[in-house]
Amino acid sequence: MDIHSFSRPGEIRVRHLSLDLDVDFDKHILTGSATLHFDATSRPELVLDTRDLDIRSVTNAAGFELGPKDKILGSPLRIAVTPGASWVRVDYSTSPDASGLQWLDPPQTAGKRQPFLYTQSQAIHARSWIPLQDTPAVRITYEARVRTPEGLPAVMAAERAGGHFRMTKPIPSYLIALAAGDLEFRPLGGRSGVFAEPSVVAAAASEFADTEAMIRAVEEMYGPYRWGRYDLLVLPPSFPFGGMENPCLTFATPTILAGDKSLVALVAHELAHSWSGNLVTNATWSDFWLNEGFTVYLEGRIIEKLYGAERQAMEATLARRELDREMESLAEADRVLHIPLEGRDPDDGCTLVPYEKGALLLRTIEREVGRDRFDAFLRCYFDHFAFQSITTADFLDYLRRELPTSVPLEEWIYRPGIPPSAAEPHSDAFLRVDAAAACWQRGEAIATSGWTTHEWLHFLRTLQDPDLARLDREFQFSQTGNSEILCQWLLMAVRAQYDPAWPLLETFLCSVGRRKFLKPLYAELLKTSEGGERARQIYAKARSSYHPIAQRTLDAMMGR
Ligand code: BES
Ligand code: ZN
């Protein structure tokens, strides 16, 4: 049972989707049809999820009715199925405000001359652009034809052949993805490459040069990559996430193009989802940690294999600190791995808890049983549940059968906080940074040559009430091309009410739509009345360029 879907897959289960869409950049709508194939049945009703869809007709059915709109779930589309039928076709168009689509005007793109469209279906936004059983418990194959204007090619997260696409592996609906715009392609390796706007594609190709090595690293540990190609699509900066693991085609924010591969853990993360998430999928959004906790664990193993244990130790230490910080602000109920989502939008359960607490649980089990046994277990887990959607209980049954441990699993999964026996990351490099930070605080000069992005982030997060003018004079943070460092710098500037940073802050908030950056910056501004005033001014200007998902988060923060 998935509380976030009206569908009843126990009665009729859709197996295949055939999609035919026209992309209208002027009206900001998709128009076309979705043909849903299912096993022939005597059940009288097929219920689909929709949100803000304009349903024109349903073919090969005895009738249909669109139910009232629920604020979180959208509207059920109840289709009276003809006895013996095995398909229906829904003709429809999307709304210009579809929650799963972002339509960008030319000024919001890198090239500034062409419009851009992309979808973001996770968690429950596929229903805003396709009528379907929008639950991760249902897996379907699909094919699609997508018509776009000349010069604005469409890509989908599937096998591609011209404007035609095919996904031959059964996937959950949240992994269906489409983008269209002025896109160019650069190969990276034999089975990988990157799409981006022409002015971005070279930088993207050099940043992602290690992609093929990452794929091989996971394959050595956890079995073959089963999706054919692995490509990346770099989106315009309004993309609300860091990355999205759409199968065969990861979507990524341009804010990871730092020039020195220092932020490619995000690629490792999205690639890892090809095993944890896309192959073995959370059956409900309360089981989200099965996707994200496992993926953060795999991500760390990739980083360690490619860039060494010290780099991974730094990334894990930074993440652990962020987890502790966020956890403090969360209700007890949200500090558990199995998230209670009754009456809530699954997007609201997306905190660091499923990610980092989930990964900590796996590292804690690894520490007890040893890496070799844990890797063997994970490899079998991915094989055993391949192309299935599973619950936390399914995982626990399997773990208890295959790899008994003394780790207090119930406590980890159903109780708030981090059990004291958790595996703790440790970084020697950060001990040296701590020492340097102490010197700096005493007014001394420090040696920072060779510091990576991670050391700089740790340094900045360690300083107490620092003199920002002195910091910027010495290290030029306001000129950094690294989005993570810039965001950290701006956060400290807001906290210290450091006026010289205001123009930079405004430019950043007006040009980047990544929620991970927007949320803490606006939150910090909102802590004072003067800052709140500024936040509202900037938001009034920037809001229309943010993705609907980011708008929703920020509207709530601003009390709109
Ligand atoms: N699948 C998530 C993004 C997501 C989660 C979208 C929930 C919608 C609802 C993706 O794999 C992810 O975790 N992205 C992270 C980056 C990662 C390196 C932690 C992000 O976007 O910040
Ligand atoms: Zn993820």
Side-chain angles (χ1 to χ4, degrees):
M1 246 320 271
D2 177 354
I3 57 171
H4 293 107
S5 174
F6 287 113
S7 72
R8 298 197 297 262
E11 298 179 9
I12 301 179
R13 186 171 285 255
V14 173
R15 305 273 178 197
H16 181 78
L17 159 72
S18 179
L19 201 57
D20 191 306
L21 293 174
D22 280 334
V23 179
D24 187 332
F25 279 102
D26 296 323
K27 297 206 187 90
H28 290 185
I29 59 176
L30 302 176
T31 307
S33 67
T35 305
L36 302 155
H37 298 263
F38 41 84
D39 303 332
T41 172
S42 56
R43 297 297 190 132
E45 195 173 67
L46 169 65
V47 186
L48 302 178
D49 293 296
T50 74
R51 183 187 291 126
D52 302 331
L53 294 183
D54 181 11
I55 308 292
R56 248 187 328 282
S57 63
V58 180
T59 308
N60 200 35
F64 73 91
E65 180 199 46
L66 196 61
K69 179 176 174 177
D70 177 273
K71 266 190 71 183
I72 295 171
L73 303 182
S75 311
L77 174 59
R78 302 179 195 284
I79 298 173
V81 174
T82 318
S86 62
W87 62 273
V88 295
R89 190 182 82 218
V90 183
D91 280 81
Y92 69 100
S93 21
T94 60
S95 153
D97 306 311
S99 62
L101 302 177
Q102 192 178 18
W103 298 90
L104 300 176
D105 295 327
Q108 290 174 269
T109 65
K112 315 275 180 223
R113 290 213 308 275
Q114 301 280 12
F116 201 102
L117 161 71
Y118 68 91
T119 65
Q120 168 57 44
S121 296
Q122 195 182 12
I124 54 170
H125 303 288
R127 64 190 66 177
S128 77
W129 66 284
I130 310 170
L132 40 53
Q133 295 182 316
D134 197 9
T135 166
V138 170
R139 313 182 75 96
I140 56 170
T141 54
Y142 77 84
E143 69 211 319
R145 184 164 286 288
V146 181
R147 274 168 287 268
T148 53
E150 186 75 38
L152 298 172
V155 290
M156 286 192 84
E159 253 174 67
R160 293 175 287 277
H164 195 237
F165 305 94
R166 245 167 28 131
M167 172 49 69
T168 57
K169 308 274 193 278
I171 57 160
S173 54
Y174 75 87
L175 293 176
I176 305 176
L178 163 71
D182 184 9
L183 291 173
E184 220 175 85
F185 178 77
R186 282 284 170 95
L188 294 169
R191 54 182 159 172
S192 55
V194 59
F195 291 92
E197 288 188 72
S199 66
V200 177
V201 77
S206 88
E207 202 82 30
F208 301 153
D210 296 339
T211 301
E212 195 65 39
M214 287 186 180
I215 305 173
R216 279 197 304 270
V218 200
E219 287 187 311
E220 277 166 27
M221 295 185 283
Y222 303 120
Y225 178 75
R226 306 190 197 214
W227 304 90
R229 293 196 55 84
Y230 180 76
D231 295 316
L232 291 131
L233 167 64
V234 179
L235 293 165
S238 64
F239 184 52
F241 297 107
M244 177 64 212
E245 67 271 27
N246 297 314
C248 310
L249 185 65
T250 282
F251 284 18
T253 170
T255 61
I256 55 167
L257 303 178
D260 60 2
K261 300 181 181 170
S262 63
L263 305 179
V264 294
L266 185 130
V267 177
H269 179 98
E270 304 312 334
L271 170 66
H273 273 305
S274 307
W275 286 260
S276 45
N278 300 4
L279 192 57
V280 180
T281 307
N282 54 209
T284 77
W285 296 115
S286 290
D287 304 304
F288 185 55
W289 78 276
L290 292 178
N291 277 17
E292 298 301 344
F294 278 66
T295 296
V296 171
Y297 175 82
L298 263 60
E299 168 196 337
R301 295 295 303 279
I302 299 171
I303 295 301
E304 180 178 330
K305 225 171 162 174
L306 263 76
Y307 306 110
E310 187 53 61
R311 161 102 171 240
Q312 171 47 22
M314 291 194 285
E315 299 213 8
T317 305
L318 288 169
R320 177 64 215 259
R321 270 239 219 158
E322 295 289 283
L323 172 64
D324 288 343
R325 195 197 317 271
E326 181 170 23
M327 196 108 83
E328 274 172 34
S329 72
L330 294 176
E332 290 256 301
D334 288 327
R335 301 181 193 183
V336 301
L337 280 179
H338 188 263
I339 321 161
L341 289 172
E342 288 74 23
R344 298 165 76 192
D345 189 319
D347 285 347
D348 298 340
C350 189
T351 70
L352 285 176
V353 173
Y355 287 80
E356 299 300 336
K357 182 178 172 183
L360 280 179
L361 165 57
L362 300 188
R363 288 188 201 123
T364 305
I365 299 173
E366 183 209 309
R367 189 187 57 188
E368 183 189 301
V369 303
R371 182 165 274 192
D372 288 348
R373 282 184 68 207
F374 193 57
D375 278 353
F377 165 79
L378 280 180
R379 195 178 177 128
C380 291
Y381 166 80
F382 292 130
D383 278 341
H384 185 81
F385 292 113
F387 300 110
Q388 294 182 44
S389 302
I390 67 168
T391 62
T392 298
D394 294 328
F395 164 70
L396 281 176
D397 286 348
Y398 186 75
L399 179 68
R400 290 195 175 113
R401 205 164 58 235
E402 300 296 325
L403 193 70
T405 100
S406 67
V407 174
L409 299 167
E410 298 284 326
E411 181 184 349
W412 271 94
I413 291 170
Y414 299 107
R415 287 199 220 127
I418 307 293
S421 58
E424 291 293 341
H426 169 84
S427 159
D428 287 329
F430 280 4
L431 293 182
R432 293 190 287 275
V433 172
D434 289 338
C439 290
W440 176 262
Q441 301 267 35
R442 291 194 298 270
E444 298 162 23
I446 57 173
T448 61
S449 83
W451 277 14
T452 64
T453 297
H454 309 98
E455 282 146 324
W456 284 114
L457 288 172
H458 182 68
F459 176 68
L460 288 174
R461 288 173 191 171
T462 299
L463 298 174
Q464 310 270 341
D465 295 320
D467 175 347
L468 296 195
R470 176 176 167 233
L471 273 175
D472 206 28
R473 233 183 300 117
E474 196 75 20
F475 304 119
Q476 292 82 47
F477 288 115
S478 56
Q479 267 132 68
T480 179
N482 186 297
S483 62
E484 294 281 350
I485 295 176
L486 180 58
C487 180
Q488 179 60 37
W489 170 250
L490 291 171
L491 207 52
M492 294 166 68
V494 174
R495 212 170 278 149
Q497 307 194 337
Y498 178 65
D499 287 358
W502 291 130
L504 192 57
L505 175 70
E506 179 162 348
T507 307
F508 188 71
L509 290 175
C510 289
S511 57
V512 171
R514 188 173 172 188
R515 199 168 57 163
K516 175 186 176 191
F517 295 150
L518 300 182
K519 227 175 123 175
L521 286 170
Y522 278 107
E524 196 62 47
L525 281 167
L526 287 167
K527 285 182 183 168
T528 67
S529 63
E530 194 206 336
E533 194 48 46
R534 257 187 238 269
R536 263 168 256 282
Q537 269 171 23
I538 296 175
Y539 190 50
K541 243 200 286 182
R543 185 178 183 279
S544 68
S545 68
Y546 295 155
H547 188 284
I549 290 173
Q551 289 182 356
R552 194 176 154 270
T553 305
L554 295 169
D555 283 355
M557 286 170 59
M558 308 271 191
R560 275 218 188 192

